[in-house]
Amino acid sequence: MTSTVPAPLTRTAEGSALQAVLLDMDGTLVDTEGFWWDVEVEIFAGLGHTLDDSWRHVVVGGPMSRSAGFLIEATGADISLPELSVLLNEGFEDRITRALPLMPGAARLLAELAEHEIPMALVSASHRRIIDRVLTSLGPQHFTLTVAGDEVARTKPYPDPYLFAAAGLGVDPARCAVVEDTATGVASAEAAGCHVVAVPSVAPITAALRRTVVPSLDQVDVPFLRGLMPL
């Protein structure tokens, strides 16, 4: 599967300024942030290095090039970034093949958005090969567009992924609600001009202008998302 830019979508719910919902994947819809860390710990243990648990907050939510590069520099491990990236993707794929738990409220939210015919895009820093594996569990039919981290020139925390998604859906970023779980993802969405719902997974996130923080997707539904938009 590859990402595509479909014809612009103009239909929105009557009386609502919400034009689309853009959703992060790891830690937001699927409970996989811990998988990445477990794989990183395992790989570096095999290289003779122990990862400091405090580094988990540094690498969470970002592009693989950043997180892997940081761990190589922090440990001094004798491995190149391309070599480590391959090992990380393979290790993660192995784990999601064995189990892929959804975050509480994720399946219900996707079904509700589909029922109300609100366009959705999946916007992830993960590579396309990972997204396509996860989509089989999330349901590819829910998403008009999917954006992978290796398909944009600059991934999160830059605004490019969310700007690309909004353009692909033919909607105004300022009329989009983004659901994210990390500070890196929040920074990306806010830089793109979107309204953000943060559901922190690993590190705390504070509320701010155009940013609402909730403890779980169980608190997020269509009326809630519509209420984020100015009239």
Side-chain angles (χ1 to χ4, degrees):
M1 182 182 296
T2 58
S3 67
T4 58
V5 180
L9 295 175
T10 57
R11 181 174 58 186
T12 59
E14 184 178 355
S16 172
L18 176 66
Q19 293 182 344
V21 178
L22 316 178
L23 302 111
D24 173 56
M25 187 177 75
D26 293 303
T28 298
L29 293 177
V30 289
D31 191 8
T32 52
E33 287 292 9
F35 286 14
W36 285 110
W37 180 249
D38 291 343
V39 171
E40 288 160 349
V41 168
E42 181 179 295
I43 290 171
F44 278 90
L47 296 170
H49 298 275
T50 300
L51 300 187
D52 190 315
D53 196 60
S54 65
W55 296 343
R56 182 174 181 177
H57 291 221
V58 179
V59 301
V60 68
M64 184 176 294
S65 58
R66 188 198 72 183
S67 57
F70 169 83
L71 293 174
I72 291 172
E73 182 176 355
T75 61
D78 184 18
I79 188 171
S80 69
L81 183 58
E83 290 171 334
L84 179 56
S85 296
V86 169
L87 292 177
L88 288 172
N89 275 320
E90 289 177 347
F92 184 79
E93 284 187 80
D94 178 64
R95 275 165 172 73
I96 63 176
T97 298
R98 287 182 271 153
L100 184 57
L102 300 187
M103 296 298 289
R108 187 266 316 154
L109 176 60
L110 293 176
E112 185 177 345
L113 290 168
E115 180 181 356
H116 286 80
E117 299 185 323
I118 297 174
M120 286 178 273
L122 187 67
V123 184
S124 176
S126 290
H127 289 187
R128 168 56 55 187
R129 59 186 284 188
I130 298 297
I131 288 180
D132 286 348
R133 293 291 293 272
V134 174
L135 276 172
T136 60
S137 294
L138 284 177
Q141 73 278 4
H142 291 306
F143 303 100
T144 303
L145 176 68
T146 63
V147 181
D150 56 343
E151 295 172 341
V152 290
R154 303 183 305 174
T155 189
K156 304 172 186 180
Y158 294 100
D160 304 37
Y162 284 110
L163 292 175
F164 182 86
L169 294 175
V171 297
D172 180 357
R175 296 294 181 179
C176 293
V178 168
V179 186
E180 273 281 0
D181 72 303
T182 67
T184 299
V186 167
S188 174
E190 291 181 340
C194 305
H195 294 260
V196 177
V197 178
V199 191
S201 62
V202 175
I205 299 173
T206 58
L209 183 66
R210 296 168 65 88
R211 182 198 309 164
T212 304
V213 180
V214 297
S216 166
L217 289 180
D218 286 328
Q219 277 70 55
V220 182
D221 56 17
V222 168
F224 175 89
L225 293 171
R226 287 177 176 163
L228 301 175
M229 301 294 122
L231 299 177

